[in-house]
Amino acid sequence: MSNYHIKHLEEYFQVYRKSVREPENFWGEVAEEHFLWRKKWDNVLQWDFTKPEIKWFEGAKLNITENCIDRHLRTRGDKTAIIWEPNSPEEEALHITYKELHERVCKFANVLKSKGIEKGDRVCIYLPMIPELAVSVLACARIGAIHSVVFAGFSSTALSTRINDADCKMVITADGSFRGSKTIDLKGIVDEALEDCPSIESVLVAKRIASDISIKEGRDEWLQPLLDAADANCEPEIVDAEDPLFILYTSGSTGKPKGMVHTSGGYMVYTAYTFKNIFQYKEDDVYWCTADIGWITGHSYIVYGPLANGATTVMFEGVPSYPDFGRFWEIVDKHKVNQFYTAPTAIRALAKNNLDFVTKHDLSSLKVLGSVGEPINEEAWHWYNDNVGKSRCPIVDTWWQTETGGIMISPIPYATPTIPTYATLPLPGIQPALMDENAKEIKGNLVDGRLCIKFPWPSIARTIWGNHERYKDTYFSAYENMYFTGDGALRDAVGYYRITGRVDDVVIVSGHNLGTAPIEDAINEHPAVAESAIVGYPHDVKGNALYGFVILKEVGETRDRENLRKEINQQITEHIGPIAKLDKIQFVSGLPKTRSGKIMRRILRKIASNDLSNLGDTSTLLNPDVVDEVIKEKID
Ligand code: PRX
């Protein structure tokens, strides 16, 4: 039996049982046999969910880039580490070998050092999907600096909030980015953000679109000349297993985004382990995850997990619809991709288009298909299975979160039989529990409840940057001694899990995790808006879309409604980014509230979803009449 590489269902059960019975031996063996440590740990695990405090491989010393790059140089130096596929198919793809990646990362790391970046400093990375993004992430890790990647679709306000929260010293960005037929002025967004960011000392700018940008003397510099002049060797900074590797922000149901902190040792072990098993990666395979490195999926399964296994990982700059809806399949064909990992929203969007876009490409290289980010509906699952996988590639429906660092519940392809819409079984080391409304664990099968995890796994986020109390409140206070995921789930007759969706005020739109509170805050700043409430409703491509109920102030009452809708969405774009725009905006005279003044979102969710059958008892509301009015004027 191999702990590290599971190939059959029987083996999975054996390994799983061991991981639960003897978690420390299990993870200790995996860590010892498959990674390079400069010093071994004193303890595999120490944990206390009440504090909460979780430490894996305490006392161990390592550098994750040595594991992701250096140790492959002898045997895989000339193997391609990263295939970079540009936005336009007319531009040539880049094949970056492990040797070249080493050189690029070392040079970049030396540039960071020359700009005064040291171990523990925070560096904000705001880049499109160009090689510099992966390289800068690894360069930070090389010198022990903490990277905070901000998805380059976020607005200047969202960017400055994140820079200030982590007190970043540097921003790494580009002059602009290509996205399909559009270009985006990234440097302009950074300049705007930095008006409010006193901690930033320097800005490095990669050249991508060759646009005219403003360079602020003493702060901004073009990256390339610095790289050209840098030394191609940089000894890795040896860090503690529990030193922070990165901060990555995720939306919460309230207030500002949460900077989830991941540490080096456990994160490396778990992402590498799950990558190997979930994609059944073999030495000459080409693996492609279509996510952006700005999200956790990109961190764990474009950069760290694949590279720690010496894999070839594809990085795609563009979008699935450019130059046409066949782009994904053209890339699969061109690079002979073996494992393909994407989001249900992309599948649904592509499924709406002519099948010729798929059938004209040779997809015979594919062996495993993955799905992540939201529940995959049955129709999308079948379309993916029939047309992309030609019914011969298992689909791994992978459930996990920014906070979990790695995939938690997922089939192991060619081992776990799959069922559409089921994430199936927990991976080794993962101990799920379903909880009822009285905070008691629901045992047995054919049950549903709130999904918790009972025992730590190596890549669990250790804290929220600068706010450990919030970490405790959000994840460890709802249920005693459990990590609460915020998701609902059911367990079927054989113990398979199906994720049913968020049970809090987070809505997953096109696979993006959006808290409704920050969107409401953005809208409420509009001078004509008195109050607002945002809810999600089912959408056939995005999974969920956002519906806003808005009460206007007197000043807004006489204004043109369409213009107001545009302005409200503009306001959201400026504060958060276009991903958070509302599909529907209804102006209302009031919002259904409890007697204590709390908005009854449950009722609004039902109205927005056209599910009026069971609104529950509305007579206890402070203002029951408003419900009829809201229903009558609902936008279809
Ligand atoms: O609700 C779950 C949903 O996405 C949430 C986590 O979002 P985020 O932190 O942005 O990470 C997304 C990528 C890992 C979860 O709480 N989710 C993610 N994957 C699935 C899913 N829901 C159902 N099925 C999945 N496979």
Side-chain angles (χ1 to χ4, degrees), residues 297 372-375 397-402 487 499 502 508 513:
T297 308
V372 60
E374 58 184 310
D397 179 356
T398 64
W399 173 83
W400 58 297
Q401 309 179 296
T402 305
D487 283 323
I499 311 301
R502 300 291 310 183
I508 312 236
N513 210 333

Side-chain angles (χ1 to χ4, degrees), residues 5 79 274-290 301 306 311-314 328-329 331-332 335-342 363-371 384 388 393-394 396 413-414:
H5 187 188
K79 176 177 175 176
T274 46
F275 172 77
K276 176 74 184 168
N277 285 297
I278 287 158
F279 298 104
Q280 292 289 310
Y281 184 85
K282 303 229 166 58
E283 187 59 39
D284 295 320
D285 287 347
V286 174
Y287 159 87
W288 179 22
C289 164
T290 70
Y301 299 109
T312 299
T313 174
V314 178
F328 272 3
W329 321 124
I331 296 172
V332 167
H335 298 298
K336 300 290 167 237
V337 170
N338 303 107
Q339 294 90 0
F340 176 75
Y341 191 27
T342 196
L363 305 183
S364 60
S365 57
L366 288 171
K367 297 193 282 194
V368 176
L369 301 178
S371 169
Y384 198 24
V388 181
C393 303
V396 289
Y414 301 99

Side-chain angles (χ1 to χ4, degrees), residues 54-68:
I54 303 140
K55 289 183 177 164
W56 283 92
F57 311 112
E58 198 185 2
K61 302 247 181 225
L62 76 152
N63 183 288
I64 195 168
T65 68
E66 215 175 13
N67 280 273
C68 288

